[in-house]
Amino acid sequence: MNTKTTVISEAELSKQFVFCDKISAYWHDKNTTPVAYVETYGCQQNEADSEKLRGYLIQSGYTIGSEAEGADVVIMNTCAIREHAEQRVFGNLGALTHTKRRHQGQKIFLCGCMAGETKVSDRIKKSYPHVDGVFSTHHLWQFPEILWNVLSRGKRQFYIEDEPGSIAEGIPQARDNALKSWVSIMYGCNNFCTYCIVPYVRGRERSRKKEDILAECRCLIEAGSKEITLLGQNVNSYGKDLYNDFDFADLLAAIAEIPGQFLIRFMTSHPRDASKKLFDTMAASPKIAKQLHLPFQSGSTRVLKAMNRHYDREKYLELVRYAKQVMPELVLTSDVIVGFPGETEEEFEETISLIESVHYDSLFTFIFSSRPGTPAAEMEDPTPKEEKNRRFDRLCAVQNAISEEIHANYIGKTLRCLIDGVDKDLLTARTEGGRLVRLEGDESLIGTFADVTITGATTWSLTGQLK
Ligand code: SAH
Ligand code: SF4
Ligand code: F3S
């Protein structure tokens, strides 16, 4: 199989802009300003991809609406990580038959991770005739061409060939938030954790060139962005496909050199490739948030091996010990899966004990969901659903108590926060560690860093006042 990354040339990308112009002219001739709606499911990578789709749509003359009703183009940017996520998409996709009936000429597209699954595209071909186009993440850069083909030929378009993946620089990006920016530094994943579908739908790991990333960050900061979040499925392996002497820690340090007041965050860190150098680099720069999302998935070395995670309980705990030693104020979060096939009660208890010993600020907790085509889907899974639910509830209760305790300890402390919005008459802010704070204050403060004294806490958020 071909495993080589396709780098999309400038000439090829400029053809897409010609399609944008054609679409613009098409609507201009009809004397109409078309409306597009993009619905995003899943993780920040999809959020970033949706910003690119909206960028293309604006370039093609569309305005961006907030609902499918009445929109000329509806795009569902989907997530395949768990079965439940897929069921939701199919439900919502079905409902679009009605919006299409009410708005003649509505064009409906499905893209994102589900579009990378043959069984999904087959089902859409057969049972969802109102869907005009399906394209996988590898073909996102060709969206103007796909849309133009649908508009001009009136034929359904399927851009779903399995590919190792591409990198396209220069797609316009309509960013949702002027203060906080997503920057994808790499795409795809090579890890093949046995439960996970991502490597199958997003292709092989490929890094953007450091010059392109730095130029994008510089541009965002000059335009007023205060928070840059670097995105990748496994940011710690950044650059392995491009450089011998430049890794993720070097990239962080280089971004931190850009003049201006801003914070750098990143996700996700895979413990397999997390290094002491990374933690030392984080500790050394005031511009790198002391926040780490380091998924552990299970506290049992046997289960970790079955998951193909390439680290054991001891290595994980050692990493955390070092990170906390060099960054005592570190805010640590993680992902965990309960009920992996064959997980025993004792192995589950090892997960609980790891949570208790690490003391995470918060956790993203998941019950194992079998993804057809992954190795874990073939494993014996004798544990009944009720038992998995019981384990899940117990784990959540343990973590909630810890989160509550950690949050209560914030009371009385003064923390530098980025004031980022307003919600129900209160300003919202984020601590450097990414915790949500609500406080009273004038909206003119949005976009500034301020010292906030924490006055109250719940499991999920903090309240504070300006110092
Ligand atoms: N690349 C990241 C994770 C991306 S997916 C990493 O490896 O850390 C986000 C989370 O979804 C994973 O960390 C995992 O906890 C969860 N997840 C992935 N596949 C799953 C599955 N089949 N069932 C349940 N949870 C899953
Ligand atoms: Fe999935 Fe593992 Fe890759 Fe994360 S590292 S995206 S869990 S295969
Ligand atoms: Fe979902 Fe794809 Fe992200 S499967 S979690 S949207 S990489």
Side-chain angles (χ1 to χ4, degrees), residues 94-364:
L96 291 180
T97 49
H98 307 297
T99 61
K100 189 160 180 156
R101 201 178 312 126
R102 287 192 290 262
H103 187 74
Q104 282 297 312
Q106 181 171 77
K107 303 295 178 204
I108 298 171
F109 296 89
L110 182 135
C111 66
C113 293
M114 279 172 71
E117 294 178 273
T118 317
K119 74 169 197 320
V120 170
S121 47
D122 285 348
R123 183 166 164 190
I124 288 178
K125 271 182 194 159
K126 257 200 227 126
S127 315
Y128 292 76
H130 63 296
V131 175
D132 297 282
V134 178
F135 55 99
S136 68
T137 58
H138 303 317
H139 296 282
L140 184 142
W141 68 276
Q142 288 165 295
F143 173 63
E145 172 183 337
I146 300 168
L147 175 55
W148 175 247
N149 286 347
V150 166
L151 288 176
S152 62
R153 297 182 196 163
K155 261 179 117 182
R156 306 176 86 194
Q157 301 289 314
F158 288 83
Y159 281 54
I160 47 177
E161 303 83 74
D162 189 21
E163 289 185 8
S166 56
I167 290 200
E169 293 294 343
I171 299 178
Q173 204 160 337
R175 296 189 181 266
D176 284 343
N177 190 316
L179 288 179
K180 300 172 165 199
S181 318
W182 309 119
V183 174
S184 294
I185 61 166
M186 58 203 296
Y187 308 99
C189 183
N190 284 351
N191 282 319
F192 289 95
C193 302
T194 52
Y195 50 81
C196 184
I197 196 148
V198 172
Y200 304 90
V201 293
R202 284 212 171 241
R204 297 290 60 72
E205 199 169 273
R206 50 210 189 271
S207 306
R208 290 176 66 198
K209 282 197 277 187
K210 60 182 171 184
E211 295 79 15
D212 292 329
I213 298 169
L214 283 164
E216 182 174 343
C217 292
R218 227 174 269 124
C219 209
L220 287 166
I221 291 156
E222 278 165 15
S225 187
K226 300 289 176 203
E227 196 181 284
I228 304 264
T229 303
L230 306 176
L231 299 178
Q233 291 302 344
N234 175 13
V235 290
N236 299 327
S237 67
Y238 170 79
K240 284 186 180 165
D241 51 336
L242 292 181
Y243 311 113
N244 290 324
D245 55 353
F246 191 87
D247 64 11
F248 179 59
D250 298 321
L251 180 69
L252 278 179
I255 297 172
E257 289 291 312
I258 298 174
Q261 211 189 17
F262 62 94
L263 262 186
I264 310 165
R265 305 184 191 280
F266 54 90
M267 68 188 311
T268 296
S269 269
H270 192 304
R272 168 190 191 168
D273 304 296
S275 63
K276 290 189 173 173
K277 177 179 168 189
L278 168 69
F279 301 146
D280 291 340
T281 306
M282 290 173 73
S285 172
K287 287 189 186 171
I288 306 174
K290 305 299 172 274
Q291 176 195 16
L292 186 65
H293 184 64
L294 193 67
F296 71 102
Q297 313 298 2
S298 168
S300 149
T301 292
R302 201 231 21 113
V303 174
L304 287 169
K305 195 155 197 310
M307 288 177 163
N308 194 31
R309 289 289 288 181
H310 291 277
Y311 55 86
D312 59 18
R313 179 186 172 98
E314 274 323 304
K315 170 167 179 208
Y316 184 88
L317 288 172
E318 173 52 30
L319 277 176
V320 167
R321 247 189 312 266
Y322 187 78
K324 286 188 171 182
Q325 180 194 320
V326 295
M327 295 175 281
E329 70 280 43
L330 182 69
V331 166
L332 191 62
T333 57
S334 196
D335 295 345
V336 55
I337 297 176
V338 171
F340 184 79
E343 177 192 71
T344 64
E345 184 64 26
E346 291 72 39
E347 288 163 348
F348 169 68
E349 286 303 328
E350 288 186 78
T351 290
I352 295 285
S353 79
L354 188 138
I355 291 171
E356 285 172 333
S357 86
V358 173
H359 238 75
Y360 294 100
D361 290 72
S362 68
L363 272 184
F364 294 88

Side-chain angles (χ1 to χ4, degrees), residues 67-119:
E67 56 175 2
E69 193 65 54
D72 300 287
V73 162
V74 178
I75 306 180
M76 302 271 241
N77 190 5
T78 62
C79 172
I81 203 85
R82 280 173 292 277
E83 195 186 346
H84 178 71
E86 294 202 352
Q87 282 166 351
R88 242 181 84 213
V89 167
F90 277 117
N92 294 349
L93 202 57
L96 291 180
T97 49
H98 307 297
T99 61
K100 189 160 180 156
R101 201 178 312 126
R102 287 192 290 262
H103 187 74
Q104 282 297 312
Q106 181 171 77
K107 303 295 178 204
I108 298 171
F109 296 89
L110 182 135
C111 66
C113 293
M114 279 172 71
E117 294 178 273
T118 317
K119 74 169 197 320

Side-chain angles (χ1 to χ4, degrees), residues 410-465:
Y410 277 102
I411 295 174
K413 288 190 180 148
T414 299
L415 304 167
R416 194 174 81 117
C417 296
L418 173 63
I419 304 191
D420 60 2
V422 60
D423 179 35
K424 295 187 196 105
D425 295 337
L426 287 176
L427 292 178
T428 58
R430 290 274 167 181
T431 67
E432 193 184 311
R435 312 317 294 160
L436 172 65
V437 187
R438 295 175 203 279
L439 67 156
E440 281 184 9
D442 195 86
E443 282 188 32
S444 62
L445 291 168
I446 294 171
T448 61
F449 287 94
D451 285 333
V452 176
T453 304
I454 305 302
T455 52
T458 68
T459 314
W460 313 113
S461 71
L462 305 166
T463 47
Q465 57 195 39

